[in-house]
Amino acid sequence: MTATATRPRQRPQDPGTRRPRTGSAQLMTSAAAAAAVLLCAFSVQGVLEGLAWMWPLAFIVVAVSTSMALARYLLLPTVLVPAAGLVVLAMSLTLVFSSEDSFLGVIPTAATLARAETLLAEAQSVVITQVIPVVPDAGVVFIACLAIGLVTVLVDTLAVTLRMPAASGLGLLTILLVPAIIKPQSVGAAGFAAAASGFLLVLAAGVWEERAAGTGRTLNRTKDGTKNRPSNAHAAGALGIGAGAVLAALLVPLAIPGFNTGAFPQGARMDFFAGATGLNPVVTLGNDLRQPTATGRITYATDSTRPLYLRSTTLEDFSGSRWAPDTRSEERRVGTGAMIPREPAGPEIETTVTTTLIASQSYASPWLLAPYSPSSISGAAGAWTWDPSTMTLLSADGSAQGQSGYEVRSSVPTVTSERLSAVQPAPADAVDGIFTELPDDLPQIIRDTAREAASGKDTPYDQALALQSFLRGPQFSYSLDAPVEGGYDGNGMDVLARFLEQRSGYCVHFASAMAVMAREVGIPSRMGLGYAPGRSTNQTAAGPDGQELDEYAVDSRDAHAWPELYFEGVGWVRFEPTPSRGVVPTYAIPRQANAASAIQADNDPRGLGAAIPAPAPSSPAPGPETVPEEPVETGGAPVAGVGIAVLVAAAAVLAPWALRRRRTRLRRSTHGSSGGARLAWAEATDLGQDYGYHAMTADTPRSYADRLVTEAGLTGTAAAALQRLRRAYETEAYAAPAPRSGTGTGTGTSTGAGSAHRVATVQSTWSDVESVARALGASAPLGTRLRAMFFPASLGRARRK
């Protein structure tokens, strides 16, 4: 009998107990898993500033991976391998972040847990107050190391201990979700390539380990007992997974609506936090403005004669490289029953008490929205603190919570240009030093630009007007895209310097530029964050004393920033340097401007004059310096086949959109009272967007009309009709109202005749709309006409309730 015949058969290894050692192959898989985690963590760069945080993170990952490899080498039971990784993770975190509060520097104690709670609180404060990329403070790095350390345990367990390398990709994906959701440009090409390389490395190491262990499909025997060459099944599977991931990245944008440019996930315009978060200061403000649809609706009803700015918080500390709201905990006071600002207006300044009711089911923030300057708050859920120097309201425990409704009474000083003109420069100790300080290394371009803009102006008021006019001048442009493409979608002096070089940005850049340049010429300043006035809902609400309050609505598109400057004896005064956004107050209009331009500048540029009925899905007509709402981009997945069932389903989906569009047009065309020109212009702009000619950021009625004529190739009657619609809208929206019958000049025009004239004007205006509609339809391809008919982009906006 041969030796092979007498050799006893080996019993199969119980997978639930111990695994045999596989030497270098298993160590290679463990190293590959650690490398994959670090490669995925590279994509977090941009969420955290710099790369210094990578060193402690790399130490944590290597320590955890090494401990788990050692546990396998010692043939510990399978369930103890991840337990060893968790123990070493706790000891490593203790060594890096709390060695002085531990036993022997690595063993956690009660003091270590207290230190961990402190670090978690610091991280929460950073999340609330800072913008990406956030400064990697100890709390933030602690959270990053803890989270990625846990992911390391998961990936190593799946890829090495359980020999499921493909499943380890789920752990790696959890790391990618952070930059994919938070960063404006998502993971990016470099981050995606690094993560993909790490995953493929794990798969390759897994194949090698399987071959070395002689399990699975890697070794096969023929009937005569001889061995074949190892098969390439695992390698082929790894290649297939990698190819599938790349193919999905290319095809996902084609199949799912909501992408503008680039491949998944770089081109995604999906908002994972839509309608559920409040205004996260500064950069998230830019993300809110770039959302394709409106989210986070907030309503406020007020007895003010003008719509209000709702302020969330302020930025006053411009000394560092990164700006963030300062909670100023030592200055804050508890309770909102009686609030008195530290720097009140002079006794000779007249004030008006305004009542405002604010409500939102979706806005949640640790900062409470209120018009400036609040004197008392009632009905707000939770405990609140307030700062006498900034009059901002912050949750006592830092938690973010929604508000079903609360009342704000605010004391508004009556500010006039004449009063501001008489103000002299404020004494050095007029306000806290934080409102005047600038860093010693202030970029020279900021100093030079401030002096150039305010050259020849002696009083603080003239200097402030000069700075505002400079930023609102033709050399600057409002853009939501240029900051991202230019690499300065953020805040800080370096960002501000690049903005002044490129002269294109959005409200954060304009507001911070004026605030910093005001300090350079000697005016105390700060920057307010919150919401511009928004739009009328054409509804009223009952006030606390039974009076009717006019209601307005704001949402993510109204997120805004503005500068507030201090004038001795007057107090803090708002200015508006951002072109095409917000409302320029009458006192901030240069004296040389005529009365007509003054009225126009103080109107809400987003169409406050045209009240929008709440249940109607109609879109507001853009006014001068308007930021038209962007229609929702539509798209669809390729259809494999066409059949009766598909047609019926499509009709069921598209019919409501077509009916809504027809009802909107019918309501507008039969509107015979004042406001007909506004509705006709709104219909014309909706038609343009339905046919693919979208309004651009900061388009005025004139610029949009001219561009629509050019891009759509409108000529003759249609082009003239569009210009008549535009002129009629501007006349109705901004011209002075005509005197009533029987008053003024005594023309004797009867009410009936005036009404008939208005109806005739509306009918004439609507015929121009029909002319434009016919021209757009005649020049559009069939597919575009069908989309405009059944799935109009103008109805893809969020409806106002």
Side-chain angles (χ1 to χ4, degrees), residues 316-353:
E316 48 272 345
D317 186 359
F318 297 141
S319 60
S321 60
R322 304 296 306 282
W323 308 336
D326 187 353
T327 58
R328 297 165 57 87
S329 301
E330 68 283 357
E331 300 286 337
R332 306 197 75 85
R333 301 179 184 178
V334 179
T336 56
M339 304 165 59
I340 301 176
R342 178 167 296 168
E343 292 88 18
E348 68 279 9
I349 300 298
E350 211 177 296
T351 59
T352 303
V353 176

Side-chain angles (χ1 to χ4, degrees), residues 523-549:
I523 308 175
S525 67
R526 64 193 184 200
M527 187 167 71
L529 294 170
Y531 292 89
R535 293 153 298 281
S536 171
T537 64
N538 203 31
Q539 296 181 359
T540 60
D545 299 326
Q547 74 272 35
E548 284 193 352
L549 308 179

Side-chain angles (χ1 to χ4, degrees), residues 267-504:
R269 296 183 66 181
M270 298 180 179
D271 179 21
F272 290 86
F273 303 114
T277 61
L279 182 67
N280 194 4
V282 191
V283 166
T284 301
L285 185 150
N287 295 337
D288 286 341
L289 293 173
R290 281 189 289 269
Q291 287 181 19
T293 58
T295 59
R297 187 174 188 264
I298 303 164
T299 60
Y300 69 94
T302 180
D303 59 3
S304 172
T305 57
R306 295 183 181 275
L308 303 171
Y309 278 61
L310 298 181
R311 196 175 65 156
S312 170
T313 184
T314 61
L315 300 181
E316 48 272 345
D317 186 359
F318 297 141
S319 60
S321 60
R322 304 296 306 282
W323 308 336
D326 187 353
T327 58
R328 297 165 57 87
S329 301
E330 68 283 357
E331 300 286 337
R332 306 197 75 85
R333 301 179 184 178
V334 179
T336 56
M339 304 165 59
I340 301 176
R342 178 167 296 168
E343 292 88 18
E348 68 279 9
I349 300 298
E350 211 177 296
T351 59
T352 303
V353 176
T354 299
T355 300
T356 306
L357 304 179
I358 305 174
S360 176
Q361 297 297 329
S362 56
Y363 177 90
S365 171
W367 303 95
L368 190 67
L369 290 174
Y372 184 79
S373 166
S375 57
S376 66
I377 310 289
S378 59
W384 298 90
T385 64
W386 59 284
D387 182 356
S389 294
T390 62
M391 301 306 289
T392 57
L393 297 112
L394 179 65
S395 173
D397 58 3
S399 62
Q401 52 187 310
Q403 297 289 334
S404 58
Y406 56 96
E407 176 189 326
V408 181
R409 288 189 178 270
S410 51
S411 181
V412 182
T414 303
V415 181
T416 64
S417 57
E418 292 75 18
R419 181 69 183 89
L420 293 176
S421 300
V423 174
Q424 296 301 310
D429 58 349
V431 295
D432 290 349
I434 196 172
F435 298 106
T436 59
E437 294 173 354
L438 287 174
D440 296 334
D441 58 347
L442 184 70
Q444 191 63 35
I445 186 175
I446 300 178
R447 298 186 187 277
D448 295 341
T449 304
R451 296 184 186 126
E452 174 190 351
S455 176
K457 308 299 181 182
D458 299 325
T459 67
Y461 176 62
D462 288 337
Q463 292 171 337
L465 287 183
L467 293 176
Q468 177 183 263
S469 298
F470 173 74
L471 292 169
R472 293 181 67 90
Q475 67 271 35
F476 283 88
S477 63
Y478 181 91
S479 172
L480 292 173
D481 298 322
V484 180
E485 296 173 357
Y488 59 98
D489 191 9
N491 62 320
M493 291 301 174
D494 57 335
V495 171
L496 183 53
R498 291 199 294 274
F499 163 69
L500 292 176
E501 292 172 358
Q502 300 192 26
R503 302 198 169 187
S504 179

Side-chain angles (χ1 to χ4, degrees), residues 749-771:
T749 304
S750 67
T751 303
S755 178
H757 173 71
R758 285 194 297 270
V759 173
T761 301
V762 170
Q763 292 174 348
S764 175
T765 302
W766 195 257
S767 66
D768 288 336
V769 174
E770 297 293 347
S771 178

